[in-house]
């Protein structure tokens, strides 16, 4: 049962201008060498999201780090023994690492790398909604601030959201979901749970257009359509596979199709090409009739990460403002750790077959 409380749709957050790092081969090599040396000296490992630049993704893999979705980024950083975690992604990913690893130094190439979902869910507004609905278990997407996570009962990522909501629904719980209305709506449709939905959205995924996708699919009838669930319902309705970034990459590897239409940030193409060389990848359209695309298939906050900034951060004195270290008040960190740990424990139990989700 979907609960249609008239929560106001949040105004679309205005993203910053897209500024991507452009490097020639010489500068790239010299920066990578400098960074590798600094990382070794500082016992650092690089954890990068699939939406960051090809240079950062390559560097993460060359140095024994990882490139992954937000769930695996959290798991990898937690399990790794390095004293310093470099998180190339957006702020909530750095904060999640710090929440799980208070004893480690967590740094980011750019502290301004935000997320429209996080920005659309200020903690005071979220807490007020929770207070209004004490009978509801609160489930928040990982794309939220540490303070929102600290107020929530559960944290989920797109890769595990439906499973956790299905489990909670099976326990008879009514839910309050924040902040992504499209992901919340999708999870509600597949689980049938009673969910009150916050009305935030992702500036990148919100822009995919069902009309344009229909035309592209007609031109490529054998292509499989892969959609991230932060996309609007009409786009999800045309998907052959709906999933987290990792699940979409797996689909390109696994499915027999030769062509794929991909509705998520195009930074993911770097990993998809490596996973399935020779397959044809097409960007789902963000333009067309009624186009409102402000960040056309690429996240401007993810694009703030780059090798030049990473080198500068590692060269700054440790603890100085230029060192871009994530710091979180201990009380908030400890409370946020409980709701994130619930998700990690659930993921481990489900993988081990200790949680039966039924049909
Ligand atoms: P994933 O958890 O699928 O990597 O998604 C994170 C994100 O910000 C997508 O826009
Ligand atoms: Fe946030 Fe969207 Fe960027 Fe992901 S792509 S970090 S959800 S703004």
């Amino acid at each position: 049962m979907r609960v249609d409380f008239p929560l106001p749709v949040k105004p679309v957050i205005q993203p910053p201008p897209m500024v991507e790092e452009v490097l020639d081969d010489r500068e790239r090599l010299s920066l990578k060498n400098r960074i590798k040396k600094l990382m070794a000296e500082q016992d650092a490992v690089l954890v990068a999201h699939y939406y960051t630049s090809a240079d950062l993704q390559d560097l993460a893999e060359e140095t024994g780090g990882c490139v992954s979705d937000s769930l695996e980024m959290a798991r990898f950083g937690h399990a790794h023994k390095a004293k310093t975690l470099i998180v190339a992604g957006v702020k909530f990913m750095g904060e999640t690492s710090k929440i799980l690893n208070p004893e480690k130094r967590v740094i980011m190439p750019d502290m301004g790398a935000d997320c429209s979902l996080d920005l659309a869910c200020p903690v005071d507004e979220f807490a007020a909604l929770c207070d209004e609905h004490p009978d509801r278990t609160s489930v928040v997407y990982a794309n939220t601030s540490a303070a929102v996570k600290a107020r929530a009962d559960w944290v989920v990522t797109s890769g595990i959201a439906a499973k956790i909501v299905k489990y909670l629904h099976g326990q008879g719980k009514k839910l309050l979901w924040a902040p992504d209305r499209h992901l919340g709506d999708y999870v509600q449709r597949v689980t049938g749970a009673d969910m009150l939905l916050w009305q935030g959205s992702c500036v990148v995924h919100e822009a995919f257009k069902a009309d344009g996708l229909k035309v592209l699919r007609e031109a490529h009838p054998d292509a499989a359509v892969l959609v991230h669930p932060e996309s609007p319902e009409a786009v999800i309705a045309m998907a052959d596979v709906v999933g987290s970034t990792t699940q979409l990459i797996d689909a390109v590897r696994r499915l027999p199709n030769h062509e794929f239409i991909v509705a998520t940030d195009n930074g993911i193409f770097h990993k998809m090409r490596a996973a399935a060389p020779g397959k044809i990848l097409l960007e789902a359209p963000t333009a067309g009739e009624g186009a409102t695309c402000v960040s056309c298939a690429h996240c401007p906050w993810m694009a703030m990460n780059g090798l030049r900034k990473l080198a500068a951060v590692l060269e700054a004195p440790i603890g100085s403002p230029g060192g871009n270290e994530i710091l979180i008040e201990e009380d908030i960190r400890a409370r946020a750790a409980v709701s994130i740990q619930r998700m990690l424990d659930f993921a481990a139990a489900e993988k081990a077959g200790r949680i039966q989700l039924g049909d």
Side-chain angles (χ1 to χ4, degrees):
M1 182 194 47
R2 150 108 159 264
V3 183
D4 274 322
F5 285 69
L7 289 183
V9 173
K10 298 279 166 194
V12 175
I13 302 284
Q14 207 45 46
M18 178 73 70
V19 183
E20 286 199 272
E21 183 175 73
V22 181
L23 302 171
D24 61 28
D25 289 347
R26 234 182 74 191
E27 191 183 4
R28 177 178 298 106
L29 186 63
S30 130
L31 279 167
K32 275 183 157 186
N33 288 340
R34 248 166 75 200
I35 293 169
K36 283 178 184 172
K37 188 164 165 286
L38 289 158
M39 282 175 65
E41 285 166 10
Q42 296 179 28
D43 188 15
V45 68
L46 174 58
V47 185
H49 192 267
Y50 295 122
Y51 296 167
T52 57
S53 69
D55 287 335
L56 280 164
Q57 294 188 40
D58 292 346
L59 181 65
E61 294 201 323
E62 287 162 21
T63 52
C66 93
V67 184
S68 61
D69 65 5
S70 48
L71 178 60
E72 188 51 32
M73 284 173 83
R75 279 200 292 229
F76 183 92
H78 194 38
H80 202 280
K81 60 179 179 18
K83 289 201 186 77
T84 298
L85 300 177
I86 305 168
V87 178
V90 292
K91 195 170 77 189
F92 79 82
M93 295 170 176
E95 286 187 347
T96 300
S97 285
K98 184 66 186 176
I99 290 165
L100 292 173
N101 303 285
E103 72 296 350
K104 293 186 185 178
R105 172 178 163 241
V106 179
I107 58 175
M108 297 191 70
D110 192 319
M111 299 291 259
D114 237 304
C115 166
S116 62
L117 289 167
D118 184 348
L119 292 170
C121 191
V123 67
D124 48 345
E125 289 179 35
F126 173 71
L129 191 68
C130 294
D131 290 344
E132 266 176 57
H133 299 278
D135 55 326
R136 289 181 178 269
T137 299
S138 54
V139 180
V140 299
Y141 194 25
N143 302 36
T144 44
S145 65
V148 166
K149 290 184 175 81
R151 183 65 176 77
D153 297 310
W154 285 79
V155 172
V156 300
T157 66
S158 61
I160 202 162
K163 285 181 179 167
I164 289 181
V165 167
K166 188 171 182 181
Y167 167 76
L168 294 172
H169 178 48
Q171 307 257 306
K173 306 252 194 268
K174 294 199 297 175
L175 307 178
L176 187 161
W177 166 276
D180 187 7
R181 65 197 178 105
H182 296 302
L183 178 60
D185 207 25
Y186 168 71
V187 168
Q188 196 286 324
R189 288 196 300 281
V190 297
T191 62
D194 178 338
M195 295 168 75
L196 170 59
L197 305 182
W198 192 267
Q199 294 290 308
S201 61
C202 160
V203 291
V204 178
H205 292 85
E206 175 109 299
F208 290 114
K209 295 280 177 288
D211 289 353
L213 180 54
K214 190 163 172 282
V215 173
L216 189 63
R217 200 178 53 174
E218 277 161 12
H220 299 268
D222 297 329
V225 178
L226 311 181
V227 177
H228 194 283
E230 290 170 12
S231 307
E233 179 176 357
V235 173
I236 292 181
M238 272 186 262
D240 295 297
V241 177
V242 182
S244 73
T245 46
T246 297
Q247 290 160 345
L248 299 185
I249 292 168
D250 284 348
V252 170
R253 193 183 286 122
R254 183 172 45 83
L255 294 180
N257 305 60
H258 183 57
E259 287 188 326
F260 293 85
I261 301 174
V262 183
T264 194
D265 185 296
N266 58 25
I268 204 171
F269 283 19
H270 185 59
K271 197 72 179 169
M272 282 183 171
R273 283 190 201 103
K279 294 204 175 178
I280 293 173
L281 307 173
L282 305 164
E283 261 181 48
T286 48
E289 190 102 350
T292 47
C293 163
V294 276
S295 325
C296 306
H298 195 34
C299 177
W301 290 290
M302 288 280 184
M304 288 179 173
N305 293 276
L307 295 184
R308 282 194 200 113
K309 286 182 189 169
L310 176 51
V313 164
L314 286 167
E315 273 161 359
I318 292 178
S320 71
N324 285 6
E325 184 169 352
I326 302 271
L327 300 170
I328 301 171
E329 209 183 292
E330 178 50 23
D331 171 48
I332 290 178
R333 188 210 65 75
R335 282 188 286 132
V338 174
S339 49
I340 299 174
Q341 195 58 50
R342 275 196 186 116
M343 165 180 72
L344 297 177
D345 291 346
F346 179 95
E350 205 256 333
K351 205 170 165 193
R354 294 199 304 276
I355 289 179
Q356 301 301 324
L357 292 170
D359 295 327

